[in-house]
Amino acid sequence: MNAHAATARAERTQPLHIGDHLREWRQRRHLSQLDLASDAEISARHLSFVETGRAAPSREMVLKLAERLEVPLRERNVLLVAAGFAPAFPQRSLDDPALKSARQAIDLVLKAHEPNPALAYDRHWNLVTANRMVAPLLEGLPPHLLRHPLNVMRLAFHPEGLAPRTVNLAEWSAHLLERLHRQCEATADPELLKLYQELKAYRMPARSGPISADNVAIPFKLRHNGDVLSFISTTMVFGTPVDITLQELALETFFPADDLTADRMRQIAAGLT
């Protein structure tokens, strides 16, 4: 499904019947009824009856099908409600006592990653928290881009944001757009689709050519106080979340790609103490 088709699908009235929901997720995953039925260990005939409304699935079947379809937890609740069952997955604030251990783990990762920048963002790429090494790299940006909710993607693409400071803007912006496109394909989230269309509208330079075979990852190269800082990034997610907030949270950690960057980050950290 391309982004235009995904946008059109998300903007139309959402189906109310559980069978319609299941069919859309199955088609989004490019699975036939036979494929999904085999994965879920049910008959294709029964799945067909569920999709057409001739049979009502049990709560267990809804959850099993949703798992096989890799439906996000938020949307699994939608499926359950459409089938007449109560939602199964809670969504709590990170300040909720039930998520205390998870919040401690996030803070530990961000703190331990200093003197290098690291941050956490939600499903729409809005900043949730960051370590103290992020703020110095954003100095001088206009306040309206840094107000809550600070959108990490928008900050990267905006002509008043990090775009003018990004040395390899063509490669980095294309990489970010590809990541966002994959999220849109996987979730059909209307807010993500709007964000994708917004970012595509920004004028970005074209890639000069294929990525060099010597590169192991696309770096993020940022001008900062006369230097070019170069980072490679990794993304971490919680492995077995049963809470919507945790499933939708991602931690992005940036590592120096060269000695100059490592040295400059240590200097910045020393100036913060």
Side-chain angles (χ1 to χ4, degrees):
M1 185 201 318
N2 60 35
H4 178 74
T7 302
R9 175 170 292 180
E11 287 179 347
R12 72 169 185 259
T13 302
Q14 291 297 308
L16 299 178
H17 189 271
I18 177 60
D20 294 331
H21 283 290
L22 288 172
R23 184 185 307 107
E24 289 214 350
W25 279 105
R26 178 176 59 76
Q27 293 172 345
R28 193 172 294 135
R29 298 296 185 249
H30 306 291
L31 293 173
S32 67
Q33 285 185 342
L34 182 59
D35 291 333
L36 178 57
S38 298
D39 288 344
E41 299 177 333
I42 62 174
S43 71
R45 178 183 176 86
H46 186 50
L47 177 59
S48 176
F49 280 9
V50 169
E51 288 192 358
T52 58
R54 296 175 64 185
S58 67
R59 183 178 186 276
E60 291 70 24
M61 180 178 289
V62 172
L63 291 173
K64 190 172 187 178
L65 291 170
E67 182 178 358
R68 296 299 187 275
L69 289 167
E70 299 181 350
V71 177
L73 298 185
R74 179 183 297 275
E75 300 305 321
R76 294 187 197 189
N77 280 345
V78 173
L79 295 181
L80 286 167
V81 171
F85 302 107
F89 304 98
Q91 181 178 7
R92 308 175 180 91
S93 165
L94 279 176
D95 296 327
D96 191 294
L99 297 186
K100 180 180 179 181
S101 59
R103 182 60 196 242
Q104 288 175 337
I106 294 167
D107 292 341
L108 179 63
V109 169
L110 298 184
K111 177 66 177 177
H113 196 64
E114 295 178 5
N116 301 310
L119 51 91
Y121 50 86
D122 65 18
R123 74 187 191 280
H124 294 145
W125 292 80
N126 292 319
L127 184 70
V128 174
T129 185
N131 68 12
R132 62 183 186 143
M133 304 309 300
V134 172
L137 303 180
L138 305 182
E139 289 177 354
L141 295 182
H144 72 89
L145 288 179
L146 302 178
R147 284 197 294 262
H148 179 79
L150 190 163
N151 188 275
V152 176
M153 279 285 192
R154 188 173 292 114
L155 192 68
F157 279 75
H158 200 282
E160 295 180 90
L162 293 178
R165 304 182 184 184
T166 304
V167 175
N168 59 333
L169 182 59
E171 290 75 21
W172 186 245
S173 61
H175 162 68
L176 292 180
L177 268 183
E178 288 167 4
R179 287 179 61 180
L180 185 55
H181 182 264
R182 287 195 297 269
Q183 282 185 274
C184 291
E185 290 279 289
T187 67
D189 185 304
E191 290 301 315
L192 282 179
L193 291 162
K194 288 180 183 177
L195 180 62
Y196 179 77
Q197 295 300 333
E198 174 189 336
L199 299 184
K200 277 190 67 178
Y202 287 120
R203 291 181 177 271
M204 292 290 127
R207 281 177 171 171
S208 57
I211 301 299
S212 170
D214 295 333
N215 288 341
V216 296
I218 297 175
F220 171 45
K221 296 184 178 181
L222 182 70
R223 294 186 186 90
H224 184 264
N225 291 340
D227 295 314
V228 174
L229 305 181
S230 183
F231 301 94
I232 56 174
S233 69
T234 65
T235 306
M236 292 181 284
V237 296
F238 282 88
T240 54
V242 291
D243 179 275
I244 293 173
T245 298
L246 288 188
Q247 187 189 54
E248 295 176 344
L249 194 71
L251 277 68
E252 195 95 4
T253 54
F254 293 84
F255 293 85
D258 55 37
D259 293 338
L260 171 65
T261 302
D263 182 59
R264 292 295 184 268
M265 294 312 300
R266 285 192 292 268
Q267 292 176 12
I268 293 172
L272 296 176
T273 57

